[in-house]
């Protein structure tokens, strides 16, 4: 198991600062009205004024009251960025004279200063009190300070646990950075440790849902379903009772798709895949209505309102990223949504998101290589948005998992000579090929000639674009890539990929992936309770799980090329 870095990162310190900025109030249980008025200035963005007033107040007091005012003044000076003055005042305080929030502010200030001095053990000594008993306005910073101290002490699980407990109270950049930090901490654990520690977590421990996502990304089983605990409850109360297999579709479902506009071509296979699943079911089916979003944010919002007005009790879509952000940005969603793309933030409570984002390909590839103990890789990606997003997600996850990206090379549609760049990267044991088939065919011999032919080569879902002639695709032999389960094994309620492709143009070639995606959108809608409480729903794009944040997670099938033809392979670790 890799040890986490025994230092406090700039990201961690900035997260503490962001948590402080997000605090709703710092005046919980003050010792006097004067202190309360002064501390309120911190909430108003005037910590220096608060510090001056508190220090002046301390000079008029004696005994315990003076100590409390000095401790609060030190806290305020720390907020204002004058740590020298904060340290000077802390030295004048006798901690045993303090009680309540003043004592907690004293401990928190002392701990954060100790962290700045790279003294994690001393910081932990100041933070012995359980965060459950810490004043609510200080609790998040208390937990993040403990997390930083535990990380610097080498306790990755302890640090991740504290960060997970703080997560619900964070917003904006602080929340995103905290999630990244938790993923990084869990990434230092080997598979056996992660499985064991996740299984040992008690019910409703916030870390479990993060650990569960890490397990699924590695293709490992969950010890138990994701905890809900009110965080991501899905209202299916208007639906009739579930059948024995968990089938419980909506009563009236609306599907919001860009049937016109620039995204209409992508919407067609999604629509046809959803309808294939819908008509393939011979039990009770919901009334279904397709509403055009025209591919715009305003169109998506108008389509949502139209669906609500028509009495829908469940809504699938919209499809575009801007459309999803617009719908999820509403202050209230009276009818739950299964969005078909990833928004800028997690889905609102009661709704969910399902996507085939390029970032998922990058994460999946990183986990595949790390599970096979590959540590030094070369990343080659197409110079389009898809390729760049895949490569960025790969680098982040691979680094979190203890690997090293030795070089990153971008290539155009026509691949030039990259032999010198490959040789300059040095000895690699893995290669990510975030490119389409024509590019990969041109790259494969260059990798071999440059000495990287023996490395494990992993492609992305884009690898199948431009394939079909075995005599040409033999150049792809040995490249492993994530595939739709539909292409590898049978999926209940759906004809084979070959059969569907013969029947429908939208189910063949590059469109086939979106067709499978639409089918799975139907499956999730019809088995929402099952996938939320049990997980492991077998879909056309892979095995589907729904995490506590409303994100649908997907474990794909794996394939490789042999003799120029795609062949399924085992994906177990």
């Amino acid at each position: 198991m890799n040890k986490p870095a025994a230092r406090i990162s700039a990201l961690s310190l900035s997260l503490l600062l962001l948590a402080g900025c997000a605090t709703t109030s710092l005046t919980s249980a003050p010792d006097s009205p004067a202190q309360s008025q002064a501390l309120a200035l911190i909430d108003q963005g005037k910590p220096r004024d608060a510090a001056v007033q508190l220090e002046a107040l301390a000079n008029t007091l004696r005994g315990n009251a003076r100590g409390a005012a000095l401790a609060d003044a030190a806290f305020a000076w720390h907020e204002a960025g004058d740590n020298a003055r904060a340290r000077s005042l802390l030295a004048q305080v006798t901690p045993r004279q303090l009680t309540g929030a003043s004592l907690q502010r004293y401990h928190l200030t002392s701990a954060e200063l100790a962290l700045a001095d790279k003294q994690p053990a001393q910081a932990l000594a100041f933070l012995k009190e359980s965060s459950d008993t810490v004043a609510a306005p200080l609790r998040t910073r208390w937990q993040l300070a403990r997390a930083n101290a535990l990380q610097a002490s080498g306790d990755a699980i302890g640090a991740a646990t504290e960060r997970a407990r703080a997560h619900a109270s964070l917003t904006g950049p602080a929340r995103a950075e905290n999630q990244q930090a938790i993923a990084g901490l869990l990434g230092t654990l080997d598979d056996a440790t992660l499985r064991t520690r996740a299984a040992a977590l008690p019910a409703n421990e916030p870390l479990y849902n993060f650990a569960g996502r890490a397990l699924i990304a590695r293709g490992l089983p969950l010890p138990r379903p994701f905890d809900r605990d009110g965080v991501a409850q899905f209202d299916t109360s208007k639906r009739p009772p579930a059948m024995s297999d968990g089938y419980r579709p909506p009563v009236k479902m609306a599907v919001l798709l860009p049937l016109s506009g620039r995204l209409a071509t992508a919407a067609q296979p999604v629509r046809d895949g959803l309808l294939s699943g819908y008509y393939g079911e011979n039990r009770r089916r919901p009334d279904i209505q397709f509403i055009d979003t025209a591919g715009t944010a305003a169109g998506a919002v108008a389509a949502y309102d139209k669906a609500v007005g028509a009495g829908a009790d469940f809504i699938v879509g919209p499809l575009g990223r801007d459309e999803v952000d617009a719908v999820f940005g509403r202050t209230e969603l009276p009818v739950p949504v299964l969005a078909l793309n990833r928004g800028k933030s997690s889905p609102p409570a009661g709704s969910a998101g399902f996507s085939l984002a390029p970032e998922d390909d990058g994460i999946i590839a990183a986990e595949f290589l790390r599970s096979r103990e590959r540590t030094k890789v070369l990343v080659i990606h197409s110079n389009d948005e898809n390729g760049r997003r895949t490569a960025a997600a790969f680098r982040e996850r691979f680094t979190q998992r203890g690997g090293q990206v030795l070089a990153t090379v971008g290539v155009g549609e026509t691949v030039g000579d990259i032999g010198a760049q490959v040789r300059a990267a040095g000895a690699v044991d893995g290669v990510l090929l975030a490119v389409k088939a024509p590019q990969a065919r041109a790259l494969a011999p260059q990798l071999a000639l440059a000495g990287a032919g023996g490395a494990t080569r992993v492609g992305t879902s884009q690898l199948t674009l431009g394939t079909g002639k075995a005599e040409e695709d033999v150049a792809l032999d040995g490249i492993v890539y994530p595939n739709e389960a539909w292409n590898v094994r049978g999926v209940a309620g759906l004809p084979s990929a070959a059969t569907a492709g013969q029947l429908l143009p939208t189910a063949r070639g590059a469109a086939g992936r979106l067709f499978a995606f639409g089918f799975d959108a139907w499956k999730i809608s019809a088995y929402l309770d099952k996938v939320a409480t049990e997980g492991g729903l077998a879909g056309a794009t892979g095995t589907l799980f729904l995490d506590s944040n409303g994100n649908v997670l997907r474990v794909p099938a794996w394939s490789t090329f042999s003799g120029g033809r795609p062949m399924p392979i085992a994906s177990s670790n």
Side-chain angles (χ1 to χ4, degrees):
M1 180 177 71
N2 296 323
K3 296 273 187 175
R7 62 182 179 86
I8 303 302
S9 67
L11 181 149
S12 297
L13 289 176
S14 67
L15 196 54
L16 283 171
L17 181 59
L18 284 165
C21 294
T23 299
T24 56
S25 172
L26 291 168
T27 58
S28 176
D31 289 346
S32 72
Q35 282 174 266
S36 176
Q37 292 173 9
L39 287 166
L41 292 172
I42 300 177
D43 301 330
Q44 299 168 23
K46 302 175 182 178
R48 181 170 293 274
D49 292 346
V52 170
Q53 289 190 22
L54 287 164
E55 196 169 343
L57 177 63
N59 291 332
T60 69
L61 302 172
R62 305 183 70 174
N64 294 356
R66 172 181 168 79
L70 285 173
D72 291 345
F75 179 86
W77 281 120
H78 178 48
E79 290 289 289
D82 192 339
N83 287 340
R85 188 61 185 159
R87 294 176 193 273
S88 175
L89 295 184
L90 288 175
Q92 302 175 44
V93 176
T94 303
R96 65 174 180 271
Q97 294 179 323
L98 304 178
T99 60
S102 290
L103 177 60
Q104 291 170 354
R105 281 190 283 269
Y106 170 86
H107 282 151
L108 181 58
T109 305
S110 300
E112 290 181 354
L113 291 172
L115 286 170
D117 293 338
K118 295 182 172 55
Q119 296 178 336
Q122 185 176 345
L124 287 172
F126 285 118
L127 300 170
K128 291 185 294 185
E129 183 176 352
S130 169
S131 62
D132 293 339
T133 61
V134 172
L138 303 174
R139 189 172 300 144
T140 300
R141 276 179 61 176
W142 192 280
Q143 290 163 333
L144 292 175
R146 273 190 56 83
N148 284 328
L150 289 165
Q151 179 178 356
S153 301
D155 185 353
I157 284 288
T161 298
E162 292 290 348
R163 285 189 176 278
R165 291 172 179 173
H167 195 68
S169 63
L170 297 172
T171 59
R175 186 178 179 89
E177 289 180 5
N178 192 58
Q179 183 162 330
Q180 178 185 357
I182 295 171
L185 289 162
L186 295 177
T188 66
L189 307 178
D190 59 42
D191 289 354
T193 302
L194 179 61
R195 280 186 295 214
T196 301
R197 299 303 293 267
L201 291 170
N204 297 321
E205 173 60 61
L207 182 61
Y208 179 76
N209 291 318
F210 292 93
R213 286 194 286 275
L215 287 168
I216 288 172
R218 300 187 194 189
L220 300 173
L222 287 176
R224 64 175 189 272
F226 284 105
D227 294 329
R228 297 291 157 189
D229 193 30
V231 176
Q233 300 289 347
F234 301 94
D235 183 10
T236 56
S237 60
K238 296 180 181 179
R239 305 182 182 193
M243 297 188 179
S244 59
D245 65 344
Y247 180 72
R248 192 185 185 191
V251 175
K252 187 170 185 178
M253 186 169 82
V255 183
L256 316 184
L257 287 175
L259 303 176
S260 63
R262 62 184 180 83
L263 296 178
T265 301
Q268 291 175 10
V270 175
R271 177 199 61 196
D272 290 352
L274 189 148
L275 287 174
S276 292
Y278 178 84
Y279 286 114
E281 178 58 65
N282 56 21
R283 294 172 289 184
R284 181 189 70 81
R285 296 193 301 261
D287 293 335
I288 189 168
Q289 179 184 13
F290 286 84
I291 303 176
D292 185 12
T293 66
T296 68
V301 171
Y304 178 86
D305 290 339
K306 183 177 180 179
V308 173
D313 62 302
F314 193 73
I315 294 174
V316 175
L319 182 64
R321 296 181 78 187
D322 292 342
E323 295 179 301
V324 172
D325 285 332
V327 172
F328 280 177
R330 300 288 291 270
T331 55
E332 185 178 352
L333 293 179
V335 177
V337 168
L338 173 66
L340 298 180
N341 209 324
R342 177 177 294 173
K344 293 178 181 177
S345 57
S346 295
S351 291
F354 180 36
S355 74
L356 297 177
E359 289 83 359
D360 296 337
D361 270 359
I363 291 170
I364 289 167
E367 293 292 354
F368 184 94
L369 285 168
R370 286 301 293 132
S371 71
R372 284 146 184 83
E373 299 184 351
R374 304 305 187 259
T375 59
K376 295 181 179 181
V377 303
L378 168 67
V379 172
I380 303 176
H381 66 85
S382 56
N383 277 327
D384 55 17
E385 182 185 7
N386 202 331
R388 288 190 293 268
R389 287 169 59 188
T390 301
F394 175 90
R395 174 184 287 274
E396 180 178 308
R397 178 56 63 91
F398 195 71
T399 302
Q400 287 174 346
R401 295 280 280 113
Q404 183 180 2
V405 176
L406 297 185
T408 300
V409 180
V411 297
E413 288 292 329
T414 301
V415 177
D417 184 356
I418 67 165
Q421 293 164 280
V422 175
R423 287 188 290 272
V428 298
D429 53 17
V431 178
L432 172 68
L433 291 165
V435 296
K436 299 175 184 176
Q439 296 163 305
R441 287 194 293 262
L443 289 166
Q446 292 195 47
L447 290 172
L449 290 171
T456 301
R457 295 168 299 161
V458 179
T460 67
S461 56
Q462 298 293 301
L463 186 68
T464 58
L465 300 181
T467 59
K469 296 181 179 179
E471 62 273 17
E472 294 179 357
D473 293 339
V474 71
L476 306 178
D477 280 6
I479 301 177
V480 178
Y481 64 97
N483 202 349
E484 282 65 63
W486 183 41
N487 292 323
V488 174
R489 58 177 183 265
V491 176
L494 192 63
S496 70
T499 300
Q502 292 174 354
L503 298 173
L504 288 170
T506 52
R508 68 177 73 122
R513 189 166 188 245
L514 291 172
F515 183 93
F517 179 61
F519 175 85
D520 281 355
W522 159 253
K523 289 273 285 190
I524 295 165
S525 303
Y527 289 88
L528 185 61
D529 284 342
K530 181 181 177 70
V531 73
T533 58
E534 299 178 24
L537 182 68
T541 61
T543 305
L544 308 172
F545 300 82
L546 188 60
D547 74 10
S548 62
N549 292 328
N551 297 306
V552 177
L553 309 178
R554 181 174 58 92
V555 178
W558 287 92
S559 296
T560 188
F561 280 88
S562 178
R565 301 183 186 280
M567 299 291 292
I569 61 172
S571 59
S572 59
N573 290 344

